[in-house]
Amino acid sequence: MDPEFGVGTAPRKRESWRTTLLLAYQSLGVVYGDLSISPLYVYKSTFAEDITHSETNEEIYGALSFVFWTLTLIPLLKYVTIVLRADDNGEGGTFALYSLICRHANVSLLPNRQVADEELSTYKLEYPPEVAQRSRVKEWMEKHRKLHTALLVMVMIGTCMVIGDGVLTPAISVFSAVSGLELSLSKDQHEYAVIPITCAILVFLFALQHYGTHRVGFLFAPIVLSWLLCMSAIGLYNIIHWNPHVYQALNPSYMITFLKKTRKSGWMSLGGILLCMTGSEAMFADLGHFSYSAIQLAFTSLVYPSLILGYMGQAAYLSKHHNFDASYKIGFYIAVPESVRWPVLVLAILASVVGSQAIISGTFSIINQSQSLSCFPRVKVVHTSDKIHGQIYIPEVNWLLMILCIAVTVGFRNTKHMGNASGLAVITVMLVTTCLMSVVIMLCWHRSPLLALAFFLFFGSIEALYFSASLIKFLEGAWVPILLSLILLAVMFVWHHVTIKKYEYDMHNKVTLEWLLALGDKLGMVRVPGIGLVYTDLTSGVPANFSRFVTNLPAFHRVLVFVCVKYVPVPHVLPAERYLVGRVGPPGHCSYRCIVRYGYRDVHQDVNSFETELVESLATFIKLDALFRCSDAGEPRDSSCYERENALTVIGSNPLRRHLGYDDSHDGVSSAHETRVDGIELAAAAAPAIKKQVRFAVETRSPGVDERVLEELRELCEAREAGTAFILGHSHVQTKPGSSVLKKLAVGVGYNFLRRNCRGPDVALRVPPASLLEVGMVYVL
């Protein structure tokens, strides 16, 4: 960015200890709900295999040793110590890692990348570009396009497994919490009571999603805090009362003894032990809502010690109790003193609801991010809170998750199969994070490839061991996340592939500016009053759907704006840097190009604020353009100087806005009592009771403004008053003659089915139906 007019990223202020403590407390309800309730089902899933709980306690000690070292190496060492440092402007998660990689190497499959995107304040690199260029790994990855596809498919697999986790985690969490009734009911009563109660709680949980969590979110942290304290107190009581020497099980030798004694059954039981890591990925995924220091403080000071005490307490109790009437009683509630069992049951159910809420919200968030990469069909995204950023609700996904959750609960009816399914989804996401993190270490941190390889081999081997233990249980529940992921992966890949091919088709069939300017004389083009916003994915040229429109109906609006809404590989784009505006043709043609840039976590604006900011940006550009033309006295003023497609200006961050009469503190909308010199007022079409106005001023005595600028601004004003039309392409895709059967099924059947049954671009862009004009377009791919 031009250092004179650009804005830089202010250094992040160091948080006070009060702020860190508050954020750490709040993170308990959002980040650690899923992780904190894992003791409800870990031992129960582990001993669901053919493992005998013998008098020597080698089995329970071995399981405790595995749990302790797994929690220490993966959540504590891998995530808290290393992965959380790989944030993308404070954001975390799978897409944050992919975004970092795409910024440091040209491996993105999104084709509309521009040099201007690299000038964004949030588009920061770990090292200067001249240092980054020396990486051989970078050159190797950029050279092979198949690696680009493999990288994106890996991200898709991680996304699919997160969505699968959104189906499985609520089911196993609520079911395990409610299964505490088994100690108070007979086996027959237990089977007929637990399932209906679990399903009722799940229906209630999903039915409340459209209200948002901001109204009851303040209860989440106290519930999880109470649960952690309760669990650690019970664990401490069991250790002191039953077996104070249970700490000896932390010796890693017990893991080897466990595997030697149990052999294949012990290896398969690792699929239950890995559930102790459930929710670890949330520490990284929810990093943007809190901070590194807050999440680190909460985990190391409270969550980690509470979990260890809880698991040790259960092991201490089980080490003194070997003869149970039913194997299903080897669980959490058997180690809870009978006097407090019912209050603990209620608290566990509340904690399971909080943990389920966190994974459901995370599922909504990652699907919304997938849309930004054009990897997921368009769905309706509802923002449930105006004050809290990122709280969203997707109706179609919500009800689909509810149906699948209930189906899993009713179909499996036990913790064993649910745990097998959930474990595979959890460990796959962790493997994806390990692979992406290894690339980040080399490309973004510019560390030695040997260090990245050591990271990959150390953590990857641990996770591969658990992955193999989960995968072998394919017929015992693990088929569920695999089937869900294959379906979702096919949907995402087909949607992304066809989207890229449509863009390439548009690039090949776009028309030139000369064609557009000459068309008016040949067809007798008529300019009608109003503003026409032509939406396109192209950042240059005139799209083919508009050329088809004007050749069949030779008329378009007096002010024409080609709008490209694009996503860049950053989490957020500052509002001051969102709009890139330039001319299409000479000034008298009143045609412009506006590129609207969003990050993968940004919220789409409503149509009223978007229209207002767009018109204001056009007015600012007109005056800036006139000022620059006057300052370049030696440059010839022929029409060719306005036809440069790359001559785009960032509107909003330029200090000349104040010189031209804008007050940024009011976001470009001035109050009614402000006085302007020769002010031009743009009134938006709105209800009579609420009249939105956009005002900008032109000082006629300014040497940079002449009558042509005033006339252009008046035309913009009149066009705004006449109304705005949104022109979108209504596409239909068909395959070329002679295409393979697979391509015909994927494109002709699969994509068109998704296009017809998912939301259209007008819903995603929030276009009002009364102002919508769709132009049919057939893509032959």
Side-chain angles (χ1 to χ4, degrees):
M1 184 174 294
D2 191 334
E4 182 181 356
F5 300 128
V7 292
T9 304
R12 189 177 299 176
K13 295 181 179 179
R14 186 176 180 86
E15 297 173 349
S16 65
W17 64 271
R18 291 187 179 88
T19 304
T20 302
L21 283 176
L22 178 62
L23 289 175
Y25 168 74
Q26 293 173 342
S27 70
L28 294 176
V30 177
V31 178
Y32 297 109
D34 192 11
L35 184 61
S36 64
I37 58 176
S38 57
L40 290 173
Y41 44 79
V42 168
Y43 284 140
K44 198 170 186 178
S45 299
T46 302
F47 289 93
E49 303 297 333
D50 298 328
I51 299 178
T52 304
H53 182 39
S54 63
E55 297 287 343
T56 60
N57 290 324
E58 291 178 336
E59 295 84 4
I60 190 63
Y61 278 15
L64 175 59
S65 185
F66 266 107
V67 168
F68 172 78
W69 287 107
T70 300
L71 282 174
T72 302
L73 294 177
I74 303 299
L76 182 61
L77 182 59
K78 175 188 170 183
Y79 281 95
V80 174
T81 307
I82 302 174
V83 176
L84 287 183
R85 298 180 183 275
D87 66 293
D88 181 12
N89 290 282
E91 298 289 343
T94 304
F95 283 94
L97 294 177
Y98 183 69
S99 172
L100 280 173
I101 295 171
C102 290
R103 292 213 302 273
H104 287 79
N106 189 16
V107 296
S108 175
L109 291 179
L110 295 178
N112 54 2
R113 183 173 180 178
Q114 293 177 290
V115 177
D117 298 337
E118 300 179 8
E119 299 173 349
L120 292 170
S121 299
T122 51
Y123 201 105
K124 64 179 182 180
L125 303 177
E126 299 293 333
Y127 289 88
E130 57 271 12
V131 177
Q133 293 294 336
R134 301 170 187 167
S135 173
R136 294 182 180 179
V137 177
K138 174 184 175 182
E139 295 175 357
W140 179 68
M141 292 188 66
E142 291 179 341
K143 183 179 179 181
H144 297 84
R145 186 173 176 82
K146 290 184 179 179
L147 291 177
H148 305 179
T149 305
L151 192 64
L152 182 61
V153 169
M154 188 186 302
V155 174
M156 287 182 180
I157 292 174
T159 302
C160 293
M161 284 299 180
V162 169
I163 298 173
D165 198 21
V167 172
L168 299 166
T169 294
I172 189 174
S173 299
V174 177
F175 179 83
S176 299
V178 176
S179 64
L181 295 171
E182 66 191 9
L183 299 178
S184 303
L185 302 173
S186 65
K187 189 172 183 179
D188 294 335
Q189 292 175 330
H190 164 254
E191 291 181 354
Y192 289 103
V194 172
I195 299 297
I197 294 174
T198 301
C199 293
I201 293 175
L202 289 174
V203 170
F204 176 75
L205 175 63
F206 283 100
L208 292 180
Q209 292 301 311
H210 72 283
Y211 292 107
T213 59
H214 58 283
R215 293 182 177 88
V216 294
F218 67 95
L219 295 174
F220 289 174
I223 289 174
V224 176
L225 177 62
S226 302
W227 167 250
L228 289 172
L229 294 177
C230 173
M231 180 176 59
S232 57
I234 293 173
L236 193 60
Y237 167 80
N238 285 328
I239 293 171
I240 297 174
H241 188 266
W242 295 109
N243 189 356
H245 301 287
V246 72
Y247 67 88
Q248 296 175 355
L250 305 184
N251 189 332
S253 62
Y254 280 98
M255 293 189 291
I256 301 174
T257 304
F258 174 80
L259 292 177
K260 283 183 177 179
K261 184 174 183 179
T262 57
R263 298 184 181 274
K264 183 180 178 181
S265 297
W267 171 55
M268 294 179 65
S269 70
L270 296 180
I273 292 175
L274 74 85
L275 293 175
C276 70
M277 299 183 291
T278 301
S280 299
E281 187 73 23
M283 289 190 289
F284 186 43
D286 294 325
L287 182 60
H289 298 290
F290 302 98
S291 66
Y292 170 73
S293 56
I295 292 178
Q296 185 184 47
L297 176 64
F299 183 79
T300 54
S301 63
L302 180 61
V303 179
Y304 178 75
S306 299
L307 289 172
I308 298 301
L309 285 175
Y311 286 115
M312 289 179 66
Q314 289 184 64
Y317 181 89
L318 293 174
S319 66
K320 299 299 181 181
H321 300 79
H322 303 88
N323 300 318
F324 293 111
D325 296 333
S327 60
Y328 66 86
K329 289 188 177 181
I330 300 181
F332 175 79
Y333 290 102
I334 193 67
V336 177
E338 190 172 356
S339 59
V340 296
R341 190 167 290 164
W342 282 101
V344 171
L345 174 66
V346 174
L347 188 57
I349 293 175
L350 292 175
S352 68
V353 170
V354 173
S356 301
Q357 173 61 53
I359 190 63
I360 293 170
S361 299
T363 304
F364 293 156
S365 177
I366 201 166
I367 289 177
N368 189 37
Q369 294 172 38
S370 299
Q371 290 187 105
S372 67
L373 284 178
S374 302
C375 292
F376 202 87
R378 288 179 290 266
V379 291
K380 183 179 181 181
V381 179
V382 179
H383 298 274
T384 57
S385 175
D386 296 330
K387 298 179 180 179
I388 303 176
H389 177 78
Q391 286 197 358
I392 60 175
Y393 164 69
I394 304 177
E396 301 97 324
V397 176
N398 180 69
W399 301 121
L400 185 60
L401 287 178
M402 185 191 75
I403 294 171
L404 293 175
C405 263
I406 293 175
V408 167
T409 304
V410 175
F412 285 153
R413 293 175 174 266
N414 61 68
T415 307
K416 173 184 175 180
H417 290 84
M418 293 183 192
N420 294 339
S422 179
L424 183 62
V426 168
I427 199 63
T428 305
V429 177
M430 291 184 173
L431 273 171
V432 170
T433 300
T434 300
C435 295
L436 294 177
M437 190 64 202
S438 302
V439 180
V440 168
I441 291 173
M442 290 184 292
L443 286 184
C444 307
W445 292 357
H446 296 277
R447 303 297 183 186
S448 170
L450 293 177
L451 182 62
L453 182 63
F455 175 88
F456 176 77
L457 291 178
F458 181 75
F459 293 107
S461 59
I462 297 173
E463 292 161 355
L465 176 65
Y466 285 118
F467 180 80
S468 63
S470 295
L471 193 61
I472 202 171
K473 300 177 182 179
F474 179 82
L475 297 177
E476 300 178 8
W479 61 270
V480 173
I482 294 177
L483 179 61
L484 283 175
S485 296
L486 287 176
I487 295 173
L488 288 170
L489 185 62
V491 169
M492 295 174 70
F493 190 81
V494 167
W495 187 268
H496 180 79
H497 175 75
V498 177
T499 301
I500 296 299
K501 292 300 180 182
K502 284 172 60 180
Y503 180 86
E504 293 175 353
Y505 183 91
D506 284 337
M507 286 291 292
H508 182 72
N509 292 277
K510 69 179 180 179
V511 297
T512 61
L513 296 174
E514 290 77 7
W515 179 90
L516 179 63
L517 296 174
L519 194 64
D521 299 331
K522 295 180 180 179
L523 299 179
M525 193 70 64
V526 178
R527 305 293 292 268
V528 298
I531 300 177
L533 302 182
V534 182
Y535 282 85
T536 175
D537 291 330
L538 301 178
T539 57
S540 63
V542 178
N545 61 349
F546 181 72
S547 65
R548 175 169 297 188
F549 171 72
V550 294
T551 51
N552 289 277
L553 181 64
F556 56 90
H557 296 81
R558 189 68 189 90
V559 175
L560 190 65
V561 186
F562 295 98
V563 180
C564 173
V565 178
K566 61 176 288 188
Y567 287 88
V568 290
V570 294
H572 303 287
V573 175
L574 298 178
E577 299 175 332
R578 177 152 293 147
Y579 294 92
L580 273 173
V581 182
R583 289 195 185 277
V584 179
H589 200 263
C590 291
S591 297
Y592 311 92
R593 182 177 309 281
C594 181
I595 299 176
V596 188
R597 301 177 292 185
Y598 289 96
Y600 56 84
R601 283 187 179 269
D602 274 336
V603 177
H604 262 296
Q605 299 163 282
D606 63 88
V607 68
N608 290 326
S609 65
F610 171 74
E611 187 179 347
T612 299
E613 290 185 12
L614 178 62
V615 174
E616 179 193 337
S617 298
L618 291 176
T620 306
F621 171 77
I622 291 170
K623 290 182 282 185
L624 284 173
D625 183 60
L627 188 60
F628 290 145
R629 281 189 288 117
C630 289
S631 62
D632 297 336
E635 185 177 342
R637 296 187 181 183
D638 58 354
S639 61
S640 62
C641 67
Y642 304 110
E643 298 177 7
R644 295 172 300 171
E645 286 296 313
N646 295 325
L648 300 173
T649 303
V650 179
I651 303 297
S653 61
N654 203 309
L656 284 175
R657 287 169 57 86
R658 289 202 186 102
H659 173 72
L660 295 171
Y662 282 90
D663 186 1
D664 290 336
S665 63
H666 293 77
D667 293 331
V669 181
S670 60
S671 58
H673 66 270
E674 289 184 85
T675 59
R676 298 290 189 186
V677 180
D678 276 356
I680 296 180
E681 178 182 295
L682 298 181
I690 303 174
K691 184 179 180 182
K692 291 188 176 181
Q693 296 179 345
V694 178
R695 297 187 179 191
F696 52 89
V698 179
E699 297 182 7
T700 55
R701 289 171 293 182
S702 173
V705 179
D706 54 20
E707 288 298 325
R708 288 178 299 177
V709 177
L710 288 174
E711 182 63 27
E712 193 172 359
L713 290 172
R714 290 192 184 97
E715 289 181 356
L716 181 61
C717 173
E718 293 171 359
R720 176 68 189 275
E721 291 176 350
T724 303
F726 298 81
I727 304 172
L728 274 71
H730 184 82
S731 62
H732 178 76
V733 179
Q734 63 185 36
T735 56
K736 295 178 181 178
S739 299
S740 63
V741 177
L742 181 61
K743 185 175 181 180
K744 290 179 179 179
L745 288 175
V747 177
V749 179
Y751 179 82
N752 284 321
F753 173 81
L754 293 172
R755 181 187 56 81
R756 288 192 299 266
N757 292 278
C758 295
R759 304 279 182 171
D762 55 319
V763 177
L765 297 171
R766 303 186 179 186
V767 175
S771 304
L772 176 63
L773 177 61
E774 290 187 305
V775 180
M777 186 71 185
V778 178
Y779 290 87
V780 182
L781 306 179

